[in-house]
């Protein structure tokens, strides 16, 4: 056996009732390398990783660790063999504090008493190593998503004997800055001989951090290559079978002549511990325009949407719609005024899992189909069908449960729900989070299509390439302050990144003075 | 491989159909069982007696179903029913004495129905406000109002029973016992149950309010972000439950022609059991009116069937407890199977 291979999976099959998630897949994890695993949603990446980490058992096939055959009944066994995993979905205890989360299940004790001093000290140490100092007594539920992910990562770095670290989309909720820290750490770990398996949808990241790339499609092995030999179009081609990327669109519109549909003046949102989450932010939105909002985690992007939708009654500032000042009271009133929101967290905020596909689409606009108090089922169904067709949701029957759809189609359902309220202004918070490339392209097509029809759209995105390609204009936030506004040719990855770091320095210098 | 899949799927489909119809199947089995082991069980008389009892927790169960669908719980239903009986009985027998004016007013029976219903709705509204505005969890909020209602019921008569609540011709307040009578042989309570079940079913399925409460129970945050007025609609649901409780209190009082302050003790458990047996999820988001009615009949058949067979009341309780737990276990099994089948469909669509 090749000495450079730390873990080898031989002809692994995984059969779920009615489907073959993995079909005769052989896979090598190279020692001290960043082994990238990619594929569209449902390609079998997560299943393969779950088998390696002991969460699932293969239906057939073998695993070899350092040349010896192993099989893991559960995660503890895998962990004892030095295999750790960071899940795509956070698996933290929001009700407990940072060190309790990190040491859950492997507590240090003195007799029967917990050694919390040791927990706290080791937690401090590991978080410092991760360049992400967070007070170890903070309740995890109070942390931002990006910080929570750091805790999840820190949990695995506590292990001394770590051989293989599996990271399933660890950066999907991290800011650019946090990603840099993570990448630096990953390089430190590979230098120490730890092997990393890295799953990501962000192709530019893969080329930056990966050593080799393995591609799965529909549960089957497709290709493997050294990163130095390949480029993004090649990866995309292997993944979807055809070349796909997001082309920058050219719109010939003189925006200065377009009417303003929305103007936000001096929008401020106080922070609970003093200071501002949003600090006197001004911006406007023209008819039919796609305005991008870019910023690092915690820059105040989502908070802007929350203020506009009436979810933050404590905000101050003025909001004008079509030139008239409006009072923001609550979300249902804002929906009536022509605003619609597609929230960031699809599962927690977007979908009602117990309702079927059709009802999830019509949920926000049910009152439009009411006669007296009764629903006009026919009218409602026609609108749902039209919406499903308009935004290309692939669905056999709208009465199926919502969870029978893939992530991309679920996202389209949430977008469809917003559009069905006939908004003038559509707010999209990370509309492409956690969906595969094919679905992403379709989501962007939908956004463009409705903008052409005159819908004014604001898009929050953490993915630079996306925002550069889709937005007509971009504002950048940093620490609650608007640090940049760019249009047309000024919208480049460099200008956006630069602005997104500006406020941090500004804030610090303010502190000093 | 393909063939095996299809085979597995069709067997899954059969299991699913059986699971979905399980409450009716269980009811059928119980009826057959008691008909065999007990004389006279399978008769019109027994049926009507059971239906009369079922009407009580069936109606409470309907209100409870709505509450459970939103992800809440209403422990106050039994106590509010008891209070409603005391208020109605008191108004009939003693009238309303306004000491400031030195007069006692007697209301006609329909007005008594109305006033008592309003008291029930008021308690529901109170539950709703405590839960949505003061952010008290439903279990504790309704535990509190349960005790308040029970205390008020006792205060109304000093713990005594209002007996013979039929009213007097001279006072013009006869007719309260109508609720305990029968029309064409069918108890009025059962008729009310059927009407309420149909209304509740239609509201749940064919109005935006119905879908809104299903959405609130399924994912409250998503419902709020979809523009649903979550607090208001939740309050309506508790008001509906309060109304159901008041109706049950009056029917119970009318059936006995007497009102006792302890009436309805423990009925909240029968209401919850009916809803859960009928497929309502304690986690919220799932439930039907029809299911709850079948659930109520299962409880009724077990109660009366076992009594007729001579099973002691103590054993009845044990058996009822086992049945409710089994119902939830089967429910979870169904849900897992459903999730599995959805996943399967999702993979096949790819």
């Amino acid at each position: 056996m090749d000495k450079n291979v730390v873990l080898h999976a031989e002809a692994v099959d995984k059969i779920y009732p009615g489907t073959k998630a993995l079909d005769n897949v052989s896979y090598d994890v190279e020692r001290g390398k960043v082994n990238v695993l990619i594929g569209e949603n449902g390609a079998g990446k997560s299943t393969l990783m779950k088998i390696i980490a002991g969460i699932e058992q293969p239906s057939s096939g073998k695993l070899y660790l350092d040349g010896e055959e192993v099989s893991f009944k559960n995660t503890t066994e895998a962990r004892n063999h030095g295999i750790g995993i960071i899940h795509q979905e956070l698996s933290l205890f929001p009700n407990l504090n940072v060190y309790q989360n990190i040491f859950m299940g492997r507590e240090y004790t003195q007799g029967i008493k917990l050694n919390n001093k040791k927990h706290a000290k080791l937690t401090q140490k590991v978080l410092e190593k991760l360049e992400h100092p967070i007070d170890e007594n903070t309740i995890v539920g109070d942390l931002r998503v990006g910080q929570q992910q750091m805790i999840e990562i820190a949990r695995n770095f506590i292990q001394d004997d770590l051989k293989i670290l599996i990271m399933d989309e660890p950066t999907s909720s991290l800011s650019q800055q946090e990603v840099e820290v993570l990448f630096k750490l990953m390089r430190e770990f590979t230098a120490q001989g730890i092997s990393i398996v890295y799953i990501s949808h962000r192709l530019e990241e893969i080329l930056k951090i990966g050593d080799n790339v393995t591609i799965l499609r529909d549960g089957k092995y497709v290709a493997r290559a050294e990163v130095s030999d390949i480029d993004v179009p090649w990866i995309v081609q292997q993944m979807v079978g055809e070349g796909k990327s997001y082309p920058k669109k050219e719109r010939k519109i003189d925006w200065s002549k377009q009417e303003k549909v929305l103007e936000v003046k001096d929008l401020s949102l106080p922070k609970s511990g003093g200071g501002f989450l949003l600090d006197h932010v001004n911006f406007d939105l023209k008819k039919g325009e796609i305005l991008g909002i870019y910023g690092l985690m915690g820059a105040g992007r989502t908070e802007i949407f929350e203020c506009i939708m009436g979810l933050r009654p404590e905000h101050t500032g003025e909001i004008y719609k079509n030139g008239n000042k409006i009072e923001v009271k609550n979300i249902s009133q804002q929906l009536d005024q022509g605003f619609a929101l597609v929230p960031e967290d699809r599962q927690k905020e977007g979908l009602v899992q117990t309702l079927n596909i059709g009802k999830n689409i019509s949920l926000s606009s049910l009152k439009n189909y009411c006669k007296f108090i009764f629903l006009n089922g026919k009218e409602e169904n026609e609108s749902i069908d039209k919406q499903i067709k308009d935004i290309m949701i692939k669905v056999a029957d709208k009465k199926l449960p919502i969870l029978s759809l893939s992530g991309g189609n679920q996202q389209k359902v949430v977008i469809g729900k917003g559009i069905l309220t006939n908004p003038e202004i559509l707010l999209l918070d990370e509309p492409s989070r956690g969906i595969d490339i094919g679905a992403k392209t379709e989501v962007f097509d939908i956004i463009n299509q409705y903008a052409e029809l005159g819908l004014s759209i604001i898009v929050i995105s953490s993915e630079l390439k996306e925002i550069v390609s889709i937005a007509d204009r971009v504002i950048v936030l940093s620490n609650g302050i608007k640090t940049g506004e760019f249009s047309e040719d000024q919208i480049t990855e460099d200008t956006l990144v630069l602005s997104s770091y500006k406020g941090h320095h500004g804030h610090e210098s303010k502190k000093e003075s | 491989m393909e063939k095996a899949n299809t085979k597995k799927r069709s067997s899954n489909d059969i299991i699913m159909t059986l699971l979905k119809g399980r409450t009716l199947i269980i009811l059928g089995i119980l009826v057959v069982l008691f008909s065999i082991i007990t004389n006279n069980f399978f008769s019109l008389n027994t049926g009507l007696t059971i239906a009369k009892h079922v009407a009580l927790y069936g109606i409470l169960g309907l209100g409870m179903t709505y509450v459970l669908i939103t992800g809440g719980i209403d422990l106050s239903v039994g106590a509010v029913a008891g209070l409603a009986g005391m208020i109605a009985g008191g108004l009939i027998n003693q009238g309303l004495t306004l000491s400031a004016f030195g007069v006692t007013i007697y209301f006609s029976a329909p007005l008594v129905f109305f006033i008592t219903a309003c008291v029930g709705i008021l308690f529901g509204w109170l539950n709703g406000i405590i839960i949505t505005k003061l952010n008290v969890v439903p279990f504790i909020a309704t535990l509190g109002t349960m005790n308040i209602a029970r205390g008020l019921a006792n205060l109304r008569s000093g713990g005594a029973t209002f007996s013979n609540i039929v009213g007097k011709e001279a006072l013009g307040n006869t007719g309260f016992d109508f609720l305990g009578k029968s029309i064409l042989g069918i108890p009025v309570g059962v008729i009310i149950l059927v009407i309420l079940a149909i209304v509740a079913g239609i509201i749940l399925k064919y109005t935006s309010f119905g879908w809104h409460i299903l959405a609130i129970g399924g994912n409250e945050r998503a419902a709020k972000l979809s523009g649903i007025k979550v607090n208001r609609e939740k309050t309506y649901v508790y008001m509906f439950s309060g109304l159901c409780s008041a109706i049950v209190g009056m029917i119970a009082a009318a059936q006995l022609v007497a009102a006792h302050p302890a009436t309805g003790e423990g009925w909240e458990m029968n209401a919850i059991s009916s809803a859960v047996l009928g497929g309502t999820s304690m986690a919220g988001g799932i439930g039907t009116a029809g299911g709850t009615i079948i659930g109520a009949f299962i409880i009724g058949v077990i109660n009366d069937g076992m009594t007729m067979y001579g099973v002691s009341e103590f054993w009845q309780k044990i058996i009822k407890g086992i049945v409710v737990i089994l119902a939830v276990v089967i429910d979870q099994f169904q849900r897992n199977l459903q999730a599995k089948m959805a996943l399967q469909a999702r993979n096949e669509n790819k």
Side-chain angles (χ1 to χ4, degrees), chain A residues 43 103 112 159 176 178 269 277 295 297 324-325 335 380 382 387 390 395 399 407 456 468 477 492 501 503 508:
Chain A
F103 285 95
I112 57 156
Q159 264 164 308
Q176 203 71 38
E178 287 162 329
L269 187 64
L277 287 166
M297 201 47 80
N324 304 316
K325 189 172 172 194
L335 283 164
E380 186 195 351
E382 278 166 12
Q387 199 61 52
D390 280 357
V395 49
K399 294 228 160 68
S456 311
V468 166
L477 293 177
T492 65
Y501 284 95
E508 277 155 25

Side-chain angles (χ1 to χ4, degrees), chain A residues 382-446:
Chain A
E382 278 166 12
S383 311
I384 293 171
D385 288 335
K386 185 173 174 297
Q387 199 61 52
I388 286 177
K389 218 175 112 217
D390 280 357
I391 60 176
M392 303 168 283
I393 302 170
K394 293 185 198 82
V395 49
D397 180 354
K398 61 177 177 294
K399 294 228 160 68
L400 284 172
I402 186 74
L403 295 181
S404 66
L405 292 179
S406 66
N409 280 312
Q410 286 180 16
Q411 182 66 26
K412 283 192 244 167
V413 166
V414 182
I415 295 173
K417 176 173 75 175
I419 290 174
L420 203 57
T421 61
N422 284 323
E424 291 166 65
I425 296 163
L426 180 63
L427 310 177
L428 298 161
D429 198 347
E430 301 274 10
S432 67
R433 158 89 55 93
I435 62 179
D436 62 56
I437 293 189
K440 268 183 194 176
T441 317
E442 283 169 13
V443 165
F444 292 146
D445 287 346
I446 294 165

Side-chain angles (χ1 to χ4, degrees), chain B residues 320-339:
Chain B
K320 263 198 289 181
I322 293 170
V323 166
V324 169
I325 292 170
L326 269 180
V328 176
V329 172
I330 297 173
D331 199 44
Q332 275 163 359
F333 176 71
Q334 177 194 344
R335 223 145 280 171
N336 287 340
L337 188 68
Q338 219 159 3

